[in-house]
Amino acid sequence: IRSSYDEAEPLYMESNRRLAQRSKPGALRRQVRRLVRRIRSTPVDRAWRQSEIEHKSYVQKATNPSFDQPYIYFLLHYQPELTTSPRGGLFVDQYLAVALLQRHLPDGWLILIKEHPNQTLDGPFYGYLGRDEGYFARLLNLPAVRFVKENSDHFRLMDSAAGVASITGTGSWEACVRGIPAMVFGNVWFADAP
């Protein structure tokens, strides 16, 4: 002990005090900015930003539904989730289901696609992992595909459709209950419903 007990301080406190005395106004702000930049460059944050960009591309291309042509109403699943992985099997990539559906549609028919409402929620969700870069662009490259606005009336779209399709989703079950032809691509308990 070099001096009185009142002046004694642990080594880490002494070094922190000296650092604080040396720092200029704004040094803490610069440190916080560096930390934020480091956090923003994590793979998770990059995936989240890409997800926001993808969602904006969906919103920009989505239109009000047109009911003057026959169409299949396709409901995208929230991903990642059990309903597509593992229950969707090969169709965990929902693009494959839409492409297969289009391949067998009669000429002049459309596939109206609606995004899952929870795909871009904040909080303890992982929706930002569910849509890769260019996902919606690939879907729109299919000639029969149209995106409908997220606030479009779900039941009007369903009731006006020639059929409803999803991987294993509730929308297909709702269609069954309403007497509308429904199609599922994965392993779900109502797959053999009439």
Side-chain angles (χ1 to χ4, degrees):
I1 297 180
R2 291 180 242 160
S3 60
S4 71
Y5 182 77
D6 293 335
E7 295 175 2
E9 64 183 336
L11 184 59
Y12 68 89
M13 293 289 289
E14 182 182 337
S15 63
N16 286 350
R17 182 178 43 76
R18 277 187 274 145
L19 179 64
Q21 288 170 348
R22 280 195 323 249
S23 67
K24 299 174 182 148
L28 180 61
R29 191 177 313 123
R30 284 190 299 276
Q31 289 175 343
V32 168
R33 284 184 188 148
R34 277 196 300 270
L35 178 63
V36 167
R37 273 195 301 270
R38 217 186 290 147
I39 290 170
R40 284 189 177 158
S41 67
T42 65
V44 169
D45 191 65
R46 285 192 302 272
W48 175 254
R49 282 194 310 254
Q50 186 58 46
S51 170
E52 288 178 328
I53 291 167
E54 282 300 306
H55 184 253
K56 284 178 187 171
S57 76
Y58 173 88
V59 170
Q60 289 170 349
K61 304 288 190 216
T63 61
N64 290 316
S66 171
F67 300 103
D68 57 350
Q69 279 183 275
Y71 66 89
I72 301 295
Y73 179 34
F74 192 96
L75 296 115
L76 290 176
H77 283 259
Y78 174 84
Q79 286 185 298
E81 191 181 54
L82 175 74
T83 57
T84 53
S85 178
R87 291 200 176 144
L90 174 67
F91 298 104
V92 65
D93 182 358
Q94 296 176 81
Y95 172 86
L96 296 175
V98 175
L100 182 65
L101 188 58
Q102 178 189 284
R103 189 171 170 191
H104 296 284
L105 277 182
D107 290 339
W109 282 50
L110 298 175
I111 302 171
L112 299 186
I113 295 180
K114 189 172 182 185
E115 174 65 293
H116 193 282
N118 294 343
Q119 191 65 39
T120 57
L121 285 181
D122 289 337
F125 301 99
Y126 296 96
Y128 62 89
L129 298 173
R131 307 282 184 257
D132 61 7
E133 187 174 351
Y135 183 77
F136 294 117
R138 281 195 316 278
L139 283 171
L140 281 177
N141 281 335
L142 299 171
V145 168
R146 306 288 184 276
F147 295 150
V148 295
K149 291 185 176 180
E150 292 171 302
N151 63 354
S152 300
D153 185 335
H154 169 69
F155 289 109
R156 180 156 185 228
L157 282 164
M158 184 177 289
D159 292 340
S160 301
V164 174
S166 69
I167 306 303
T168 61
T170 304
S172 292
W173 172 243
E174 290 169 346
C176 284
V177 170
R178 294 169 85 86
I180 299 164
M183 177 184 296
V184 292
F185 290 85
N187 181 15
V188 68
W189 63 272
F190 62 89
D192 295 325

